[in-house]
């Protein structure tokens, strides 16, 4: 198998890349990695929404041409995209939190559906773009609450406003690909990733950030639904997949379509398991377990079938759940102790790539 290779610096060196959502957790990591590969990155996003945040701590603004712009502003967005003259686009910008979508559904729908349409519509008048990777979520599927890993051909759906907005975004992405962009030789793919953990996330209502805030403050971590099953993965896993997807779309536009990125099915784990691993890795922390009745509806069982990414792109998971949690908690420990965040990010990427090199050598 010649797959599962690392991102190719020779490919990315000098490439003009547009990254929406570059101030977010995953976006900041990708901006850092693309800059490391030699790409020229233009970022479009709202200002960071948390304090602290990875964008500021890692100085991502100095690694990109950074623009603060709301993707709901179609006219302003189109001007910035035209000015960037991108060859490859990663569309991350989104309202990405389930509980926040319950509080403000209209903003969630506007950002995730209309915002995605605005990005794609701007490409109708641009000739430089060859590949687009639009990020949605593992929650786009009509969840049957059964121990069944969803595959790319399964029905879309969404109980909560966030999931519904991302499922709708998938339809928008497919429509623009088929109606406009394919005939312009722009290869458009959507990427559906599982629950992501990793250093540098301080978002509200996310498991590991909640744990870090609680335990650093000597407070108990409140867990609402310890029994919920999710496809947890380290942030570098899907980002590596997105990068490889863009490389291969460039070479073969016929690979356009939807792709799942997640752990092996048997690695899907409960919230309880992840919290206990995090507690062990962090070395401290009290936990208060809820009974699953608190808060609005969230899916109880969710896993992804990732055979398409493995077969078509050569992408497969490298770090187990234990490795992912340990890496994540070590990152936060280092950051809390004052390490240069760029050094911590560089160490994780180097370690991730080394796993692949080791696999190839064997």
């Amino acid at each position: 198998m010649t797959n599962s290779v690392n991102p190719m610096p020779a490919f990315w060196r000098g490439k003009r890349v547009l990254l929406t959502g570059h101030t977010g957790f995953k976006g900041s990591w990708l901006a850092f990695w693309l800059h490391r590969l030699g790409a020229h990155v233009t970022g479009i996003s709202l200002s960071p929404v948390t304090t602290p945040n990875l964008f500021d701590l890692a100085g991502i603004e100095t690694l990109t041409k950074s623009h603060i712009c709301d993707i709901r502003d179609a006219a302003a967005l189109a001007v910035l995209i035209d000015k960037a003259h991108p060859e490859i686009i990663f569309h991350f910008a989104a309202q990405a939190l389930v509980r926040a979508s319950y509080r403000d559904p209209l903003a969630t729908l506007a950002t995730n559906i209309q915002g995605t349409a605005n990005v794609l519509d701007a490409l109708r008048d641009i000739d430089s773009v060859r590949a687009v990777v639009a990020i949605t979520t593992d929650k786009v599927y009509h969840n049957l609450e059964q121990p069944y890993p969803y595959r790319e051909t399964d029905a879309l759906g969404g109980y909560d406003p966030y999931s519904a907005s991302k499922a709708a975004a998938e339809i928008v992405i497919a429509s623009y690909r088929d109606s406009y962009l394919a005939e312009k030789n722009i290869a458009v793919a959507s990427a559906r990733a599982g629950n992501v953990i990793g250093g540098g996330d301080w978002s509200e209502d996310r498991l590991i950030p909640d744990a870090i805030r609680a335990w650093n403050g000597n407070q108990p971590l409140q867990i609402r639904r310890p029994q919920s099953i999710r496809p947890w993965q380290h942030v570098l896993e899907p980002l590596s997949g997105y990068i490889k997807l863009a490389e291969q779309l460039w070479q073969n536009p016929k690979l356009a379509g939807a792709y799942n990125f997640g752990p092996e099915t048997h690695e899907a784990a409960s919230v309880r398991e992840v919290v206990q691993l995090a507690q062990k890795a962090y070395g401290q922390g009290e936990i208060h377990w809820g009974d699953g009745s608190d808060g609005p509806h969230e899916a109880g069982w969710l896993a992804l079938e990732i055979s398409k990414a493995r077969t078509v792109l050569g992408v497969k998971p490298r770090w187990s759940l234990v490795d992912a949690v340990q890496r994540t908690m070590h990152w936060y420990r280092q950051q809390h102790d004052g390490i240069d965040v760029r050094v911590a990010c560089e160490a994780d990427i180097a370690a991730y790539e080394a796993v692949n090199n080791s696999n190839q050598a064997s």
Side-chain angles (χ1 to χ4, degrees):
M1 186 179 288
T2 59
N3 47 31
S4 195
V5 296
N6 287 320
M8 299 184 294
F11 173 86
W12 290 100
R13 194 171 297 118
K15 283 287 192 304
R16 299 186 306 276
V17 179
L18 175 69
L19 171 57
T20 72
H22 70 301
T23 65
F25 162 53
K26 287 172 68 179
S28 291
W29 269 102
L30 183 59
F32 182 85
W33 203 345
L34 290 171
H35 178 268
R36 184 177 183 269
L37 291 166
H40 299 312
V41 182
T42 296
I44 297 176
S45 182
L46 296 177
S47 297
V49 297
T50 66
T51 303
N53 61 80
L54 184 57
F55 179 79
D56 288 334
L57 289 177
I60 300 300
E61 186 172 14
T62 67
L63 308 181
T64 64
K65 294 180 180 179
S66 182
H67 301 281
I68 301 303
C69 175
D70 192 326
I71 61 170
R72 292 174 292 183
D73 186 340
L77 177 67
V79 169
L80 290 176
I81 294 177
D82 182 65
K83 183 178 179 181
H85 202 60
E87 297 169 291
I88 295 173
I89 294 176
F90 292 97
H91 173 46
F92 278 59
Q95 194 301 97
L97 300 170
V98 172
R99 285 167 70 89
S101 79
Y102 277 109
R103 292 194 297 270
D104 194 348
L106 293 183
T108 300
L109 297 170
T111 299
N112 295 350
I113 304 173
Q114 187 62 55
T116 296
N118 290 343
V119 171
L120 297 173
D121 198 66
L123 307 186
R124 295 171 62 190
D125 299 320
I126 295 177
D127 295 326
S128 59
V129 179
R130 288 267 301 269
V132 179
V133 178
I135 313 307
T136 60
T137 176
D138 57 352
K139 298 173 182 63
V140 298
Y141 295 107
H142 175 59
N143 196 320
L144 303 175
E145 298 288 358
Q146 297 175 357
Y148 166 85
Y150 294 98
R151 61 193 69 223
E152 291 85 352
T153 53
D154 284 327
L156 301 175
Y159 184 105
D160 57 87
Y162 168 72
S163 300
S165 73
K166 285 295 195 173
E170 285 278 355
I171 296 172
V172 169
I173 293 163
S175 173
Y176 267 85
R177 177 175 57 236
D178 296 340
S179 298
Y180 304 109
L181 302 182
E183 66 185 26
K184 289 174 60 69
N185 294 316
I186 300 175
V188 181
S190 62
R192 305 165 180 176
N195 284 48
V196 171
I197 61 175
D201 188 7
W202 283 276
S203 301
E204 63 171 345
D205 294 326
R206 281 191 182 156
L207 188 60
I208 298 299
D210 284 350
I212 294 298
R213 278 187 289 267
W215 296 340
N216 278 350
N218 294 315
Q219 298 295 317
L221 171 62
Q222 307 290 337
I223 297 297
R224 298 186 304 272
R225 291 182 169 86
Q227 74 282 3
S228 294
I229 304 291
R230 294 289 186 273
W232 310 93
Q233 59 185 330
H234 191 276
V235 63
L236 296 182
E237 300 279 14
L239 294 186
S240 175
Y242 304 162
I243 292 171
K244 296 306 299 181
L245 176 55
E247 290 175 3
Q248 297 203 38
L249 289 173
W250 184 280
Q251 301 295 339
N252 184 2
K254 293 182 180 179
L255 297 181
Y259 292 84
N260 288 339
F261 295 96
E264 302 291 355
T265 301
H266 71 270
E267 283 268 286
S270 70
V271 169
R272 183 183 295 275
E273 293 174 82
V274 174
V275 170
Q276 290 173 336
L277 287 172
Q279 183 190 43
K280 180 179 179 181
Y282 208 59
Q284 66 182 60
E286 183 182 353
I287 306 165
H288 287 177
W289 302 103
D291 62 4
S293 63
D294 181 46
H297 173 274
E298 295 184 39
W301 203 100
L302 181 58
L304 296 176
E305 170 57 60
I306 59 170
S307 58
K308 181 180 178 182
R310 182 190 296 108
T311 303
V312 177
L313 305 176
V315 171
K316 60 181 180 180
R318 304 184 196 181
W319 282 345
S320 68
L321 177 62
V322 172
D323 293 332
V325 173
Q326 289 179 342
R327 279 273 169 194
T328 298
M329 303 313 286
H330 180 63
W331 193 102
Y332 283 109
R333 272 292 194 196
Q334 289 186 303
Q335 186 270 332
H336 187 261
D337 292 341
I339 193 175
D340 183 333
V341 162
R342 284 194 189 180
V343 172
C345 292
E346 175 66 33
D348 276 355
I349 293 174
Y352 184 81
E353 292 181 339
V355 171
N356 185 76
N357 291 335
S358 175
N359 289 344
Q360 288 183 317
S362 61

